[in-house]
Amino acid sequence: MAFFVEVDQESNSNNSQDNETPERLDLRIIASAKKMSLSFWELNEFTVNDFIKFADIYTGREKEKKATQEDIDSFFGTS
């Protein structure tokens, strides 16, 4: 026997935006690097994690956030 649970649309729309992973992260990284005037050679010297830290420093958003269990589940695609 199935049952219906009504979902609050306002809270659902906020959560879906926070948990969405960009469809093509590789292209977003390349586009971001080019906007920061990095060459492909320079971008190739970064690891993904280092590039993200560099981009945060470049844009002035270098505040660190500790990962929550929800972040880890989202990263590994488990829920």
Side-chain angles (χ1 to χ4, degrees), residues 20-51:
E20 285 185 16
T21 304
E23 193 170 307
R24 291 293 310 264
L25 183 60
D26 55 340
L27 294 178
R28 290 185 182 270
I29 289 173
I30 291 171
S32 296
K34 296 310 276 180
K35 286 179 184 177
M36 290 185 273
S37 301
L38 293 174
S39 68
F40 289 120
W41 181 83
E42 291 169 322
L43 179 60
N44 193 42
E45 295 298 311
F46 286 104
T47 63
V48 173
N49 191 36
D50 286 342
F51 175 75

Side-chain angles (χ1 to χ4, degrees), residues 1-78:
M1 178 179 187
F3 59 93
F4 177 77
V5 177
E6 189 171 333
V7 177
D8 182 16
Q9 293 297 329
E10 185 176 313
S11 65
N12 190 25
S13 65
N14 290 339
N15 289 339
S16 66
Q17 289 175 351
D18 293 339
N19 294 334
E20 285 185 16
T21 304
E23 193 170 307
R24 291 293 310 264
L25 183 60
D26 55 340
L27 294 178
R28 290 185 182 270
I29 289 173
I30 291 171
S32 296
K34 296 310 276 180
K35 286 179 184 177
M36 290 185 273
S37 301
L38 293 174
S39 68
F40 289 120
W41 181 83
E42 291 169 322
L43 179 60
N44 193 42
E45 295 298 311
F46 286 104
T47 63
V48 173
N49 191 36
D50 286 342
F51 175 75
I52 291 170
K53 287 179 182 180
F54 174 81
D56 286 343
I57 293 168
Y58 184 86
T59 59
R61 300 180 304 179
E62 59 180 304
K63 180 182 174 186
E64 284 190 26
K65 176 190 171 223
K66 296 288 184 184
T68 63
Q69 186 62 46
E70 184 177 309
D71 294 334
I72 294 167
D73 291 344
S74 174
F75 178 78
F76 287 110
T78 58

